[in-house]
Amino acid sequence: MQFAHQYDVRSLQADCEIDLELHWLSADTVLDVFQLAETYNATRLKTAALQFIADNARLLVSHAAFLDMLAKECNVAVIRAIGGLTDD
């Protein structure tokens, strides 16, 4: 992802986003994936992470690791996703 972003290889970045979305998005990794998406301006991946949070809010708020990460990386978009709200 870093290489694709650094050298503006959009097709590789798109492939990385898809792979991360399909194979790495979980309750344990969602905030890390979200942060990666923000770092590399990966819109599709950011949207997927926020949708995962919205779809799994009940599970995530009872997941200690998620709450720890959320406390460290307080992000309005993530909090809105937990509440079922979207950034319009």
Side-chain angles (χ1 to χ4, degrees), residues 12-52:
L12 179 58
Q13 182 162 337
D15 288 346
C16 290
E17 289 184 56
I18 291 168
D19 187 62
L20 286 164
E21 178 183 349
L22 295 176
H23 302 289
W24 294 98
L25 202 53
S26 71
D28 292 326
T29 64
V30 67
L31 285 179
D32 292 329
V33 170
F34 177 79
Q35 188 173 44
L36 184 73
E38 283 202 319
T39 299
Y40 297 112
N41 197 28
T43 306
R44 175 193 171 117
L45 187 57
K46 180 179 177 180
T47 299
L50 289 173
Q51 189 62 53
F52 183 91

Side-chain angles (χ1 to χ4, degrees), residues 16 27 50 57 67 74 85:
C16 290
L50 289 173
L67 293 176
C74 187
L85 304 172

